[in-house]
Amino acid sequence: MLRDKIIEIGKDSTWYLVSTIVSAFIGFIAVPIFTRIFEPHEYGIYTLVATAITLGAPVVFIMVTNAIVRYLPEYEGRGELSVIFTTVLRRVPIFFALMFCLCLPAVVIFAPLGRYRLVVALGISVFALYTVFRVLLGFMRAMRMAWQYAVFMIIVQFGRYIVGALLVAKFGMHVEGIFWGWLGTLVLVIPVELAILRVWKRIKRGAFSRTLERNILSYGLPLILVSIFSDILTAADRYMVQGFWGSKQVGLYSVVYTLVTNLEAILASIIALGATPVIVRFFEQEGEEATVTLISRITRYFLMLLLPAMVGIWVLNRRIVSVITSPGYMDATKAVFPLVLGVFISNLQWLPFLSFQIKKRTDSSIFPIGISAVFNLALNALLIPLFGPKYGFVGAAWATLASYVLCLFLVVRAGRKYMRWEFPWKGSLSIMISTAAMGLLLFFLDKILFGRWYGLLTLVIAGMLFYSFTMLATGGFTKSELTFAKEILSRAFPKRGEGRH
């Protein structure tokens, strides 16, 4: 049973891998484009609005999407999918009315936005549509429609970055061009999502359940507070840097933060997106002890992906930044080490956090995240001015690292009351050895290899091959894991005529 669940996770994660690699690539190539068409202060403005969308929208949809993942298996098992679809989507028209008829006019008319009024108006519109887009993706994820999820994520990323950049470059638009591309793509994509999910057939009069709505609220409302506190941990530093030293430093900081997130944190989502729905179903079927074992195994795979990525970014940080940005952004490399380690710890936190979700005790997760958010604000207020007008953003990076260390400690400690997290110390030794060896190789090769894109690509490929070879040599990949990998690929991409299982 454990083996089958790991294969299920791997099958779905293969599609999430495709999605995240393509999305990350689109986001990655957007950085050199944006840093060439925007000055640092313009890039800082774009980042502030885009960050408000991508971190503010989850305040609304995280409650719903997590509840869908947690409760849909129960209703699907009873043949009552119409109940959960009707109950969740009944409030969408009210949400749209609040955003477009109340919030948007109020902000546009009364807020002192100056020449960025259109940018903020577009941001609010994107916020509303992006929220609904993610709720519909939540249904796809819970129903394990992994390839559909992947396609929609790629399309929206393409519209946001590539179409937006073309509007700026070819039609003389400024920062607002990015948001026009994003908004237009969402307008086209959401009706297709509704059709694929067969929403019109699954929403039925009389299927609305007040009991389910109360369950969603009791399960999800604490996650809104968690999301707000997480947003503070993730984004408050950029607004504080803006307040102390201006948008140029925000631009420098955001370049590094975007790179680290795209190249490291996205790898974590490959596992997390596929694993969470399967873990929930596994817990319902097999109980707590088997689930603890499954999460421990997943932790090992998580480390297998994230540790080498973290070390690779750190060792090659100057080459990476020089390749994908213009010379005016090189000072940003001073924030790489604390950010790359902080984002790694932030992603690792997802594993012990599962105990709150599985046991339906999301209310208990508020305390550790909240304490860490307050600590983050206080530390940023101290370190950003302390590091001075030129490198204040580096102080923000160190505050981020310290806050995520505290958060992980508190989450692990609080989560033990509900379900323990068994860290695979023994199984991680070969991963650590292989990662350290890869880091040393990259350090020396970086000194002798010339060329920008060519040299970076050569180093990345050499690092991946050397890491894989060292893992095989030290027994890091077991025979069963190699067999699993082959079976996962065969199930995700079956040969013609075999069908899907």
Side-chain angles (χ1 to χ4, degrees):
M1 179 64 75
L2 182 63
R3 177 177 180 275
D4 291 339
K5 293 303 175 185
I6 291 174
I7 291 174
E8 285 183 31
I9 292 170
K11 176 183 175 182
D12 290 351
S13 293
T14 304
W15 284 108
Y16 295 130
L17 173 64
V18 172
S19 169
T20 51
I21 286 177
V22 176
S23 297
F25 177 73
I26 293 172
F28 184 81
I29 63 174
V31 173
I33 295 173
F34 287 2
T35 53
R36 282 165 174 78
I37 61 178
F38 296 139
E39 295 296 325
H41 76 276
E42 291 179 304
Y43 187 76
I45 295 298
Y46 157 73
T47 299
L48 292 173
V49 178
T51 299
I53 296 169
T54 55
L55 296 180
V59 172
V60 180
F61 73 68
I62 196 169
M63 173 181 75
V64 181
T65 53
N66 279 277
I68 291 170
V69 171
R70 184 63 187 85
Y71 286 100
L72 187 139
E74 298 178 17
Y75 284 83
E76 186 178 31
R78 299 200 298 260
E80 298 179 349
L81 276 178
S82 61
V83 174
I84 193 165
F85 270 88
T86 304
T87 303
V88 169
L89 298 178
R90 182 179 180 178
R91 307 298 183 186
V92 169
I94 299 173
F95 172 70
F96 275 159
L98 288 173
M99 294 303 301
F100 290 111
C101 300
L102 182 62
C103 182
L104 181 59
V107 170
V108 170
I109 294 171
F110 298 110
L113 301 173
R115 64 192 181 101
Y116 295 111
R117 190 176 303 276
L118 177 58
V119 173
V120 174
L122 290 169
I124 293 171
S125 302
V126 170
F127 174 90
L129 293 180
Y130 184 69
T131 300
V132 175
F133 167 74
R134 292 303 300 263
V135 169
L136 296 175
L137 282 187
F139 277 108
M140 292 183 181
R141 183 180 167 208
M143 297 173 72
R144 299 190 56 217
M145 299 169 67
W147 75 265
Q148 294 94 330
Y149 182 107
V151 169
F152 283 116
M153 282 298 296
I154 291 169
I155 291 172
V156 169
Q157 286 290 93
F158 183 86
R160 173 185 175 181
Y161 291 112
I162 306 304
V163 175
L166 286 173
L167 290 175
V168 174
K170 298 296 183 182
F171 296 95
M173 294 185 180
H174 297 288
V175 177
E176 65 270 13
I178 306 299
F179 297 98
W180 277 120
W182 198 354
L183 180 64
T185 306
L186 289 169
V187 168
L188 295 174
V189 160
I190 288 175
V192 182
E193 283 186 294
L194 293 170
I196 288 177
L197 287 167
R198 296 185 296 164
V199 168
W200 309 126
K201 292 184 178 181
R202 285 174 169 154
I203 293 181
K204 297 180 180 179
R205 182 176 297 179
F208 175 77
S209 169
R210 294 197 178 277
T211 300
L212 175 59
E213 186 175 57
R214 285 194 295 270
N215 287 338
I216 290 174
L217 289 173
S218 63
Y219 182 87
L221 279 175
L223 292 176
I224 291 180
L225 286 175
V226 170
S227 179
I228 292 172
F229 289 137
S230 296
D231 287 353
I232 292 173
L233 278 168
T234 306
D237 49 6
R238 268 162 277 186
Y239 294 94
M240 294 180 74
V241 170
Q242 166 74 20
F244 279 110
W245 305 120
S247 59
K248 179 179 179 180
Q249 284 208 34
V250 176
L252 293 174
Y253 185 61
S254 298
V255 163
V256 175
Y257 207 104
T258 300
L259 287 175
V260 171
T261 300
N262 284 344
L263 297 178
E264 180 185 338
I266 286 178
L267 289 175
S269 69
I270 295 170
I271 297 177
L273 289 171
T276 305
V278 175
I279 290 170
V280 170
R281 293 172 186 266
F282 189 70
F283 175 79
E284 295 290 340
Q285 297 168 1
E286 301 298 321
E288 182 172 328
E289 287 303 314
T291 305
V292 168
T293 302
L294 176 60
I295 292 174
S296 180
R297 184 77 66 86
I298 293 170
T299 302
R300 197 175 107 77
Y301 300 150
F302 184 93
L303 295 172
M304 205 177 286
L305 275 176
L306 265 292
L307 271 177
M310 178 187 71
V311 171
I313 296 169
W314 174 44
V315 173
L316 302 177
N317 70 87
R318 291 195 63 83
R319 185 181 289 262
I320 292 172
V321 173
S322 69
V323 165
I324 68 170
T325 69
S326 59
Y329 289 85
M330 285 306 297
D331 279 344
T333 57
K334 297 183 183 300
V336 169
F337 175 74
L339 278 180
V340 78
L341 184 55
V343 171
F344 170 77
I345 293 170
S346 165
N347 285 298
L348 190 64
Q349 173 191 299
W350 160 72
L351 291 151
F353 193 86
L354 282 169
S355 63
F356 301 116
Q357 294 177 288
I358 291 171
K359 292 299 186 72
K360 300 179 182 177
R361 291 305 307 269
T362 52
D363 56 318
S364 297
S365 64
I366 296 173
F367 174 77
I369 308 295
I371 292 294
S372 304
V374 173
F375 176 75
N376 179 263
L377 290 174
L379 200 56
N380 270 298
L382 174 66
L383 295 182
I384 292 173
L386 184 64
F387 273 71
K390 188 174 182 180
Y391 296 118
F393 68 96
V394 180
W398 283 103
T400 295
L401 171 58
S403 301
Y404 280 134
V405 170
L406 174 64
C407 192
L408 178 62
F409 171 78
L410 293 176
V411 166
V412 171
R413 188 177 180 85
R416 283 177 183 169
K417 293 189 293 185
Y418 308 108
M419 192 171 71
R420 71 186 186 278
W421 176 42
E422 290 186 349
F423 192 87
W425 294 105
K426 184 178 179 181
S428 302
L429 182 60
S430 59
I431 299 173
M432 295 177 185
I433 293 172
S434 301
T435 299
M438 181 206 73
L440 287 172
L441 175 71
L442 291 179
F443 177 79
F444 289 110
L445 288 179
D446 188 41
K447 303 296 182 184
I448 61 175
L449 277 180
F450 295 97
R452 300 184 70 200
W453 284 102
Y454 171 80
L456 179 60
L457 181 62
T458 302
L459 285 166
V460 170
I461 294 173
M464 292 172 61
L465 292 175
F466 188 75
Y467 172 75
S468 301
F469 172 78
T470 310
M471 283 286 287
L472 287 168
T474 58
F477 297 125
T478 65
K479 290 183 179 179
S480 61
E481 286 171 349
L482 295 173
T483 303
F484 285 169
K486 293 178 182 178
E487 190 165 351
I488 286 166
L489 291 174
S490 67
R491 290 196 184 192
F493 304 106
K495 295 179 181 178
R496 186 176 298 177
E498 288 183 357
R500 292 188 183 278
H501 301 289

